[in-house]
Amino acid sequence: MNSDVIIACDFPDRETTLAFLDRFAGSRKPFVKIGMELFYGAGPDIVREIKARGHRIFLDLKLHDIPNTVKKAMRVLSALDVDMVNVHASGAIPMMEAALEGLTRPDGTRPLLIAVTQLTSTSEEVLHRQLLVQASMNETIATYAANARKAGLDGVVCSPLESALVKEACGPDFLTVTPGIRFADAAADDQVRITTPARARELGSDFIVVGRPITAAADPVAAYQRCLEEFVH
Ligand code: C5P
């Protein structure tokens, strides 16, 4: 299913993560995102363990290296049977093509591969003054997304507010995976450009990545259900 709510499991260790997932026993198994902190802390076994519990997994490691290194690393990640992985689009088309090659299993199947265009923590000023990119942020995002499409990737991570820009540059089937989600009646935390699950759906997000609105909720299962009700098409 190419539309879903992905819970960002930003926990420091295996025990906390599994205790959180235990709450969903008996209900729909959520699609979960495992990031650098948990993967580097708990190792690849945490991926195998969560997979064995029946969850789909987005392994958010944002690879960025020379093509050969990325290809070989992707081969290892693909063998972990994850469902979605990502790279930085700034690694350019040859690196993204190599990532895709490494991910493709002997039987032709592979996880979804998406690209980070520009980190949302990068401001327009940093883009120009530190990274020396003279194009605008939107032009950079649209071009990086188009490069990802040319390399054969499935989509990009972006703000829900950028989904239309990406779909315009890459077509309606190119996936947008969007964090920065908050319920209408909740705190923004450290996120700046936020939208509700319902608004993200209207703006064309294919997957929303939701962390604290679910993980820090008094009732995470109810918060997850609310996201599904608002978002899933
Ligand atoms: O708790 P919250 O809902 O803000 O979590 C959002 C998740 O999405 C975190 O894992 C965060 O690192 C990730 N993310 C993000 N913005 C990006 C890329 C990833 O918030 N541009």
Side-chain angles (χ1 to χ4, degrees):
M1 181 175 45
N2 278 345
S3 168
D4 208 347
V5 173
I6 302 177
I7 304 181
C9 285
D10 294 324
F11 300 117
D13 55 49
R14 173 183 176 274
E15 289 66 34
T16 317
T17 308
L18 297 183
F20 173 76
L21 294 178
D22 281 345
R23 290 169 167 267
F24 293 86
S27 65
R28 186 181 190 271
K29 304 261 184 207
F31 198 141
V32 300
K33 177 170 93 73
I34 297 177
M36 293 185 206
E37 182 186 11
L38 185 58
F39 188 77
Y40 294 148
D45 278 347
I46 188 70
V47 175
R48 297 189 184 95
E49 206 165 350
I50 295 175
K51 196 72 204 171
R53 287 170 165 236
H55 296 270
R56 292 208 289 163
I57 298 178
F58 167 21
L59 192 54
D60 179 18
L61 299 180
K62 301 186 179 71
L63 276 68
H64 187 183
D65 208 318
I66 59 171
N68 187 52
T69 302
V70 169
K71 179 166 89 182
K72 288 178 173 170
M74 283 299 188
R75 193 162 289 152
V76 175
L77 299 184
S78 188
L80 281 176
D81 199 23
V82 293
D83 300 278
M84 184 187 287
V85 291
N86 58 0
V87 292
H88 273 285
S90 50
I93 293 176
M95 188 206 76
M96 292 192 273
E97 287 173 340
L100 205 58
E101 202 184 322
L103 271 186
T104 306
R105 305 181 183 111
D107 65 1
T109 64
R110 64 167 175 82
L112 290 171
L113 178 59
I114 58 171
V116 176
T117 54
Q118 282 291 339
L119 294 169
T120 44
S121 52
T122 304
S123 66
E124 195 109 22
E125 194 192 346
V126 167
L127 189 71
H128 300 323
R129 297 212 175 159
Q130 294 184 26
L131 304 180
L132 301 186
V133 173
Q134 297 316 322
S136 69
M137 182 62 82
N138 279 354
E139 207 180 331
T140 310
I141 290 168
T143 302
Y144 284 20
N147 288 346
R149 172 137 194 120
K150 272 187 211 144
L153 272 62
D154 303 295
V156 291
V157 186
C158 62
S159 154
L161 305 165
E162 291 154 3
S163 281
L165 176 79
V166 169
K167 301 268 181 188
E168 204 175 293
C170 301
D173 296 337
F174 196 64
L175 303 174
T176 54
V177 180
T178 65
I181 305 296
R182 290 296 179 269
F183 292 122
D185 50 5
D189 304 311
D190 54 350
Q191 295 280 18
V192 181
R193 299 168 72 216
I194 53 172
T195 50
T196 62
R199 183 78 185 125
R201 173 188 166 158
E202 285 164 16
L203 291 169
S205 297
D206 296 289
F207 292 88
I208 51 172
V209 176
V210 188
R212 287 159 291 178
I214 295 175
T215 56
D219 185 344
V221 178
Y224 173 60
Q225 293 298 346
R226 183 176 171 190
C227 280
L228 287 175
E229 277 154 30
E230 282 195 34
F231 179 73
V232 173
H233 308 207

